[in-house]
């Protein structure tokens, strides 16, 4: 058995910075035996941008991972957000199923099948719960619906993943969204479709860059400049709503916040198998925000 200590992660100063801790845990876990013990003895608080990706990794890595030495408050929180075994939302039929979450600041970490039309219903139900519990302004409902629809839809269109993941938590006057898959990565999508490889070569950061600039892998001419839905979604989040955006796929990440854009390749040891997006949004939109400036 391999014993790994989970650190206290209370902050995410630059969106995605929590992955600095996550990368090391993932590397230790991948390098360890098939039976892993995560010790939470040092953890008094765990930021949502750390905790949800850790649960998603746990659900996919194929190792036998047990969680030990949890404080009472962390243990109760883990039970509520379904950390140890993520919530299967595939057959979710209505928001009444999650009525106990309406008084909380989070939904369970949810896994859903991306096959068939049920995915749209799952997204709508989870969105309804998020809006009700967080009391987002009326002006925020349309952009939230658009963002979730676009980004969840991308999983089905591009990732070749069997399932997707979603988590949301309100922290003070902001919403933190995590949307992920365990598919072939953005770079892998370009390789599979044999598109723009003359631009990308073997550089995953370049693939991330052009995906965020709207270079599509779709074979429909009318969609050529629509990309993954990522480009307009990212612009809406940061430029329109004053939020922050982070995407990690394979061995590259893309960060866009008030400080600008950073696109970075990371070592192979820290590869994320699939794509994960973190989004930070306000509960209310800026007065000057115009949704139609960011849709095509």
């Amino acid at each position: 058995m391999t014993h790994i200590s989970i650190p206290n992660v209370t902050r995410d100063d630059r969106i995605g910075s929590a992955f600095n801790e996550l990368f090391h845990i993932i590397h230790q876990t991948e390098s360890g035996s098939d039976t892993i013990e995560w010790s939470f003895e040092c953890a008094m608080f765990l930021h949502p941008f750390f905790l949800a990706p850790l649960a998603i990794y746990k659900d996919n890595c194929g190792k036998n991972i047990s969680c030990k030495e949890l404080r009472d408050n962390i243990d109760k929180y883990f039970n509520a957000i379904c950390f140890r075994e993520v919530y299967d939302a595939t057959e979710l039929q209505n928001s009444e199923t999650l009525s106990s979450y309406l008084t909380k600041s989070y939904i369970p970490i949810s896994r859903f099948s991306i096959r068939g039309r049920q995915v749209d219903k799952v997204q709508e139900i989870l969105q309804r719960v998020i809006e009700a519990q967080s009391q987002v302004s009326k002006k925020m409902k349309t952009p939230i619906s658009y963002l979730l629809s676009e980004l969840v839809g991308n999983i089905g269109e591009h990732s070749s993943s069997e399932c997707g993941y979603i988590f949301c938590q309100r922290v003070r006057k902001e919403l933190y969204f995590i949307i992920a898959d365990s598919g072939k990565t953005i770079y892998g999508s370009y390789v599979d479709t044999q598109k723009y490889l003359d631009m990308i070569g073997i550089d995953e950061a370049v693939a991330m860059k052009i995906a965020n600039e709207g270079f599509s892998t779709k074979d429909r001419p009318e969609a050529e400049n629509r990309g993954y839905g990522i480009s307009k979604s990212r612009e809406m989040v940061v430029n329109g709503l004053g939020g922050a955006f982070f995407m990690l796929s394979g061995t590259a990440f893309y960060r866009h916040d008030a400080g600008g854009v950073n696109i970075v390749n990371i070592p192979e040891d820290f590869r994320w198998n699939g794509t994960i997006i973190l989004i930070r949004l306000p509960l209310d939109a800026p007065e000057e925000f115009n949704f139609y400036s960011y849709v095509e």
Side-chain angles (χ1 to χ4, degrees), residues 150-165:
E150 284 288 308
L151 298 176
V152 169
N154 286 337
I155 296 172
E157 284 202 73
H158 300 287
S159 74
S160 295
S161 179
E162 291 297 318
C163 63
Y165 296 86

Side-chain angles (χ1 to χ4, degrees), residues 8-167:
N8 196 43
V9 182
T10 61
R11 303 176 69 176
D12 189 70
D13 294 326
R14 296 196 68 190
I15 188 167
S17 63
F19 270 93
N20 292 332
E21 302 289 355
L22 269 162
F23 286 142
H24 292 291
I25 294 166
I26 291 171
H27 180 56
Q28 290 177 68
T29 302
E30 291 294 318
S31 303
S33 64
D34 288 339
T35 303
I36 304 289
E37 184 178 277
W38 284 348
S39 169
F40 290 83
E41 183 180 14
C42 298
M44 299 179 66
F45 180 85
L46 296 164
H47 195 281
F49 284 160
F50 171 85
L51 194 59
L54 187 64
I56 293 166
Y57 165 76
K58 179 178 180 294
D59 194 57
N60 276 286
C61 70
K63 299 214 174 190
N64 180 19
I65 300 175
S66 59
C67 302
K68 302 293 185 181
E69 301 174 289
L70 288 89
R71 299 169 188 267
D72 286 345
N73 64 317
I74 298 291
D75 189 40
K76 290 176 181 176
Y77 180 52
F78 275 18
N79 290 336
I81 64 170
C82 301
F83 177 85
R84 294 179 183 85
E85 185 173 348
V86 301
Y87 178 70
D88 188 351
T90 298
E91 301 300 326
L92 191 60
Q93 295 297 315
N94 53 64
S95 55
E96 283 71 28
T97 306
L98 296 174
S99 59
S100 63
Y101 285 87
L102 293 176
T103 58
K104 301 184 186 299
S105 60
Y106 46 78
I107 61 171
I109 300 170
S110 301
R111 182 204 314 116
F112 52 89
S113 171
I114 55 111
R115 306 302 173 197
R117 297 181 179 179
Q118 180 66 13
V119 64
D120 294 330
K121 187 171 187 179
V122 169
Q123 179 239 307
E124 290 171 8
I125 292 170
L126 292 175
Q127 177 188 327
R128 209 173 301 141
V129 173
I130 291 165
E131 291 174 351
Q133 67 182 198
S134 301
Q135 299 180 336
V136 296
S137 71
K138 185 177 180 179
K139 196 173 182 180
M140 281 298 294
K141 291 185 178 182
T142 299
I144 287 174
S145 177
Y146 171 84
L147 290 167
L148 291 182
S149 178
E150 284 288 308
L151 298 176
V152 169
N154 286 337
I155 296 172
E157 284 202 73
H158 300 287
S159 74
S160 295
S161 179
E162 291 297 318
C163 63
Y165 296 86
I166 185 170
F167 180 64

Side-chain angles (χ1 to χ4, degrees), residues 233-246:
S233 297
R234 174 182 56 81
E235 291 173 6
M236 181 184 296
V237 167
V238 182
N239 300 333
L241 297 169
F245 176 95
F246 176 89

